[in-house]
């Protein structure tokens, strides 16, 4: 039954990658990357259950943390133009 | 009792997998960026939630369930903030939502 869940997750991953490729704007691609991260986290957990190795869950947790941090970094770059200066308020960066 | 828990967890797992697929399908088919974020939200909340709960049922009371709860808490807290940051960044960069073409409320006619 885990194989069925893993198959559904693979289908979802393919669709999310399709959106990442098709996405007209950069934010579509960031959204697709975020979704791929969540799905990969779930796939790691399911594979951990399939192969009977509980340490895969730690991998899924760390992967999820890194994925969110990556999303925030990319968003800050595309939002403020650079990562260097401390983020000013919205008025300065119209 | 054991088979009931097994069948229940298989049901949750398959339902979670189905919702992940539905959310990803919505991610592809939705016309506009802001509606796609709603579809991605379906994957993050229902898909992940049901699957994690299905795995918790399989694992019973053990360290594995604690790790699964940690993953659930991670998704619970970071997914909305990531979506919020994404919407603000897109909005600040002037990404216009796809509005109706002014026909008023869409009637069946």
């Amino acid at each position: 039954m885990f194989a069925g869940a893993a198959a559904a997750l693979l289908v979802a991953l393919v669709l999310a990658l399709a959106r990442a490729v098709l996405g007209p704007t950069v934010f579509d691609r960031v959204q697709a990357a975020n979704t791929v991260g969540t799905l990969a986290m779930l796939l790691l957990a399911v594979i951990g259950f399939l192969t009977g190795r509980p340490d895969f869950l730690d991998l899924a947790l760390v992967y999820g943390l890194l994925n969110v941090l990556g999303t925030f970094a990319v968003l800050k770059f595309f939002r403020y133009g650079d990562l260097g200066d401390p983020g000013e308020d919205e008025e300065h960066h119209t | 009792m054991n088979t009931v828990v097994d069948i229940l967890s298989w049901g949750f797992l398959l339902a979670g997998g189905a919702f992940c697929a539905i959310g990803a399908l919505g991610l592809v088919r939705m016309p506009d960026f802001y509606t796609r974020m709603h579809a991605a939200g379906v994957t993050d909340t229902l898909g992940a939630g049901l699957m994690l709960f299905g795995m918790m049922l399989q694992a019973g009371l053990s360290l594995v369930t604690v790790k699964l709860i940690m993953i659930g808490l991670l998704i619970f807290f970071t997914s909305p903030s990531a979506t919020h940051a994404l919407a603000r960044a897109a909005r600040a960069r002037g990404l216009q939502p796809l509005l109706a073409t002014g026909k008023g409320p869409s009637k069946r006619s």
Side-chain angles (χ1 to χ4, degrees), chain B residues 2-18:
Chain B
N2 196 8
T3 56
V4 170
V5 169
D6 269 352
I7 291 169
L8 205 60
S9 73
W10 290 344
F12 275 112
L13 266 166
L14 285 182

Side-chain angles (χ1 to χ4, degrees), chain B residues 50-87:
Chain B
L50 288 181
M51 284 194 82
L52 288 175
F53 189 68
M55 285 187 258
M56 282 181 209
L57 286 180
Q58 282 282 349
L61 289 177
S62 70
L63 181 62
V64 171
T65 307
V66 172
K67 288 180 185 175
L68 283 168
I69 292 173
M70 289 303 152
I71 293 178
L73 283 178
L74 171 73
I75 294 182
F76 182 76
F77 284 113
T78 56
S79 176
S81 47
T83 309
H84 172 73
L86 191 63

Side-chain angles (χ1 to χ4, degrees), chain A residues 1-2 5 8 12 15 19 25 27-28 30-31 38 41 46 49 57-58 61 65 68 72 75 78-79 90, chain B residues 10 13-14 17 20 24-25 27-28 33 36-37 40 44 51 55 64 67 71 74-75 78 86 88 92-93:
Chain A
M1 208 38 66
F2 280 111
L15 288 170
R19 171 47 58 194
T25 63
F27 298 106
D28 290 306
V30 172
Q31 175 63 64
T38 312
M41 217 159 63
V46 165
F49 268 87
L57 291 168
D58 310 333
L61 199 62
L65 287 166
V68 172
F72 284 144
L75 282 179
F78 282 110
R79 170 71 174 76
E90 195 163 344
Chain B
W10 290 344
L13 266 166
L14 285 182
C20 277
L25 184 66
L27 196 68
V28 170
F33 166 70
R36 277 180 216 127
M37 280 174 52
D44 283 346
M51 284 194 82
M55 285 187 258
V64 171
K67 288 180 185 175
I71 293 178
L74 171 73
I75 294 182
T78 56
L86 191 63
R88 275 182 60 87
R93 274 298 179 202

Side-chain angles (χ1 to χ4, degrees), chain A residues 23-54:
Chain A
T25 63
V26 70
F27 298 106
D28 290 306
R29 294 193 168 92
V30 172
Q31 175 63 64
N34 192 6
T35 306
V36 163
T38 312
L39 291 173
M41 217 159 63
L42 290 172
L43 195 58
L44 269 171
V46 165
I47 288 175
F49 268 87
L50 266 178
T51 55
R53 291 180 52 185

Side-chain angles (χ1 to χ4, degrees), chain B residues 99-107 109:
Chain B
L99 301 177
T101 55
K103 298 196 297 300
S106 63
K107 288 181 287 299
S109 61

